[in-house]
Amino acid sequence: MIGRTKLSLIAICADGRGGYEYRGVRVSDQAVMRLPATALANGCFGAHTDQVTYTVSDRKLLLTSGMRIMRDETMVEFKDFRKPDVGVVTQMSGR
């Protein structure tokens, strides 16, 4: 799956070993984050460092640290390649 928020570019890729990898780029400084990812039961994906959990859904990128929400970024474009019959979803402003 691939997604874009106003602040981030995100991809969840197959890692070639039967698992997944989170690949994220912070747009402001082009900082790259690559982490092992897990498919969650609700269709989302999760990845984490020692301090931050990244949750990716078709609606948002959520970064949390414990119970604290660090970032809650709305997807402006999203494509889930597990569902090949669905095109890219673009969120319209004002909705």
Side-chain angles (χ1 to χ4, degrees), residues 12-83:
I12 301 294
C13 304
D15 68 5
R17 298 180 308 269
Y20 297 98
E21 181 178 65
Y22 169 93
R23 298 179 185 182
V25 178
R26 187 172 49 223
V27 174
S28 64
D29 62 1
Q30 301 300 303
V32 175
M33 177 68 69
R34 292 176 73 157
L35 299 166
T38 304
L40 305 174
N42 60 1
C44 299
F45 283 89
H48 62 86
T49 66
D50 290 338
Q51 298 181 4
V52 179
T53 298
Y54 299 77
T55 304
V56 180
S57 74
D58 61 344
R59 306 186 107 205
K60 67 173 65 181
L61 169 64
L62 184 65
L63 280 65
T64 56
S65 181
M67 297 298 290
R68 187 174 136 221
I69 296 174
M70 299 174 63
R71 283 182 134 159
D72 185 347
E73 302 178 23
T74 301
M75 289 289 176
V76 294
E77 289 185 280
F78 181 83
K79 169 71 174 148
D80 187 341
F81 292 96
R82 297 173 299 173
K83 302 173 187 173

